[in-house]
Amino acid sequence: MKLYLGGIKQMENKKLTWKHYLGIAVVAVLVIYLVIGFSFSNKFFWGTKINGMNVAGKTADQVIEMFDKKANDYSLTIKERKDKTETLTSDQLRTKFEGADEIKQIKEDQGSFGWIKGLFGSEHYDNVTMYSYDTKSFTKAYKKLDAFNNKKMIKIANAKPVYKDGKFEIQKEEEGTELKKDVAAKKIGEAVKDGLSTISLDKENCYDNPEYTSDNDKLINLTKDMNKKLSSLFLSGLIVLNSTYY
């Protein structure tokens, strides 16, 4: 009994050194790291984004459910010329989310104990497959858009010199709304598959354009030459009225 009490007293009198504190700290950090790692065993790390959506702390099934809902609520706004917009919806297209297997694979590849990378926001995945659509429904839907209706298309017209108020000036072109239908259908389909919310047909080069615009150098020089000749005709006593040059 005396020997036991003496041992306890000896331990109480023994001072802890910096090495002891360092060891305790290392063990504590390791325990915290492992506990957090286990908590991410089936959840995405902090800082994880999939196609721009924050999925940190969510399971693969929860993320898939989120994307399924987005597919059901999906709509694509189509920006057209003349400040017009039209919309295609999931009801028309029958969109479905197709990236479930990829999301599960991302979580599997993350594992559990690489969570610390997420603190630096480095877990971004931007190429996960988004949607598919029913081909027949898609074709039927886009062909009903006004943009594809020949009767509603505005014809393009080149810029040209016209005679007005005693001189020639450039009449601005009409850009029109004549659509490259095959190109537009392809671009719209790609936008749906990528899950985009908007597409500009003009920016995607889906329209025919005038060959000559008002800022065309050849047209500007031609108009200047026509005005010089006109001035010389006036100076020589000839008068030109009500003339239009194409």
Side-chain angles (χ1 to χ4, degrees), residues 74-89:
Y74 177 73
S75 66
L76 175 67
T77 299
I78 302 167
K79 295 182 178 180
E80 304 165 9
R81 282 182 175 173
K82 307 300 182 183
D83 295 323
K84 183 172 181 177
T85 61
E86 297 187 82
T87 303
L88 294 176
T89 67

Side-chain angles (χ1 to χ4, degrees), residues 16 32 35 54 73 78 111-112 146 176 184 193 215 225 241-242:
L16 295 176
I32 293 171
V35 169
N54 183 9
D73 297 336
I78 302 167
S112 300
D146 287 347
K193 287 182 177 180
D215 59 357
D225 290 341
L241 294 172
N242 298 325

Side-chain angles (χ1 to χ4, degrees), residues 70-161:
K70 282 175 67 71
N72 291 333
D73 297 336
Y74 177 73
S75 66
L76 175 67
T77 299
I78 302 167
K79 295 182 178 180
E80 304 165 9
R81 282 182 175 173
K82 307 300 182 183
D83 295 323
K84 183 172 181 177
T85 61
E86 297 187 82
T87 303
L88 294 176
T89 67
S90 59
D91 290 336
Q92 295 171 294
L93 306 173
R94 298 184 183 180
T95 49
K96 292 182 180 179
F97 177 59
E98 297 291 349
D101 290 341
E102 294 171 60
I103 287 176
K104 291 177 181 178
Q105 188 61 52
I106 290 171
K107 180 56 219 151
E108 184 176 334
D109 292 342
Q110 275 193 343
S112 300
F113 300 105
W115 59 267
I116 200 166
K117 292 188 296 181
L119 296 176
F120 303 99
S122 60
E123 296 294 305
H124 293 179
Y125 305 88
D126 298 321
N127 296 309
V128 172
T129 303
M130 285 297 285
Y131 306 139
S132 65
Y133 53 77
D134 179 75
T135 303
K136 289 183 178 180
S137 298
F138 171 74
T139 302
K140 182 180 179 181
Y142 82 73
K143 284 187 174 181
K144 286 185 176 180
L145 295 172
D146 287 347
F148 285 80
N149 188 333
N150 290 332
K151 294 181 179 179
K152 295 186 178 182
M153 291 183 190
I154 300 172
K155 292 187 177 298
I156 60 176
N158 288 321
K160 60 185 180 181

Side-chain angles (χ1 to χ4, degrees), residues 227-240:
N227 279 319
K228 287 179 181 178
K229 290 179 180 179
L230 182 63
S231 295
S232 66
L233 289 174
F234 274 114
L235 290 173
S236 64
L238 297 174
I239 300 175
V240 179

